[in-house]
Amino acid sequence: MTPGILAAKKAGVPFTVHEYDHDPSAPSFGMEAAEKLGIPPERVFKTLVVRLDGRELAVGVIPVDSMLSMKAIAKAAGAKKAEMASQADVERSTGYVLGGVSPLGQKKRLRTFIDVSAEVFETVFVSAGKRGLDMEIAPGDLRAVCGGTFAPLQDRSGG
């Protein structure tokens, strides 16, 4: 039972846990989840932590087959700039290890932004809090449980 699963249970929202045999040598843990669960990658979302204006940490939740736009998440957060947070900052603030960071049940609640593409699906998949464990949840419930905001976050530059 991970903190992410406990947070969803405590909130009383419906969700389903999906477990798969994780391969530590997989080049992309998110794409591995999509492949092993047989889910289109645009329905499987990864959780990324950024640092805003060199100070505040925030979370971006985007499809595993896309790139996070630093300009877009900074704009959504009302910041001037964003950069990826260090592994140490991510693990310290969320309580999770990289590759298993859930947007739910983080040690320190960070402002969370979920890509608007999630809204077109009945359910999406996010990490349940450890590698090899995903949670299927309705986008609105995900937003409610993590106190998130929907915003366009994907890098559309094509490069």
Side-chain angles (χ1 to χ4, degrees):
M1 192 72 69
T2 67
I5 293 170
L6 291 172
K9 275 190 177 203
K10 185 177 176 189
V13 299
F15 66 93
T16 307
V17 174
H18 299 271
E19 195 165 4
Y20 59 92
D21 187 26
H22 167 63
D23 176 0
S25 68
S28 163
F29 297 152
M31 289 300 286
E32 176 196 28
E35 288 165 17
K36 290 196 172 170
L37 295 173
I39 307 298
E42 59 270 15
R43 276 188 66 202
V44 181
F45 283 66
K46 57 188 171 185
T47 305
L48 303 173
V49 180
V50 299
R51 184 169 294 284
L52 301 169
D53 293 335
R55 297 187 305 274
E56 175 193 5
L57 294 177
V59 174
V61 183
I62 64 168
V64 298
D65 63 348
S66 67
M67 295 287 294
L68 176 63
S69 164
M70 293 298 145
K71 285 183 181 178
I73 195 163
K75 181 180 178 182
K80 287 184 175 62
K81 70 175 202 150
E83 61 191 5
M84 293 304 297
S86 70
Q87 179 175 345
D89 285 344
V90 171
E91 294 180 353
R92 187 174 35 253
S93 66
T94 67
Y96 295 116
V97 297
L98 281 188
V101 177
S102 176
L104 306 175
Q106 295 179 359
K107 193 162 58 173
K108 181 177 184 221
R109 192 168 190 165
L110 303 174
R111 285 202 293 159
T112 300
F113 301 91
I114 304 163
D115 188 68
V116 294
S117 67
E119 293 182 288
V120 304
F121 299 109
E122 193 172 312
T123 59
V124 294
F125 291 72
V126 295
S127 175
K130 73 178 209 182
R131 297 171 184 164
L133 199 64
D134 268 34
M135 174 186 297
E136 182 178 2
I137 187 168
D141 290 338
L142 173 63
R143 185 202 54 73
V145 176
C146 69
T149 303
F150 288 112
L153 300 177
Q154 293 182 58
D155 185 344
R156 307 276 183 204
S157 68

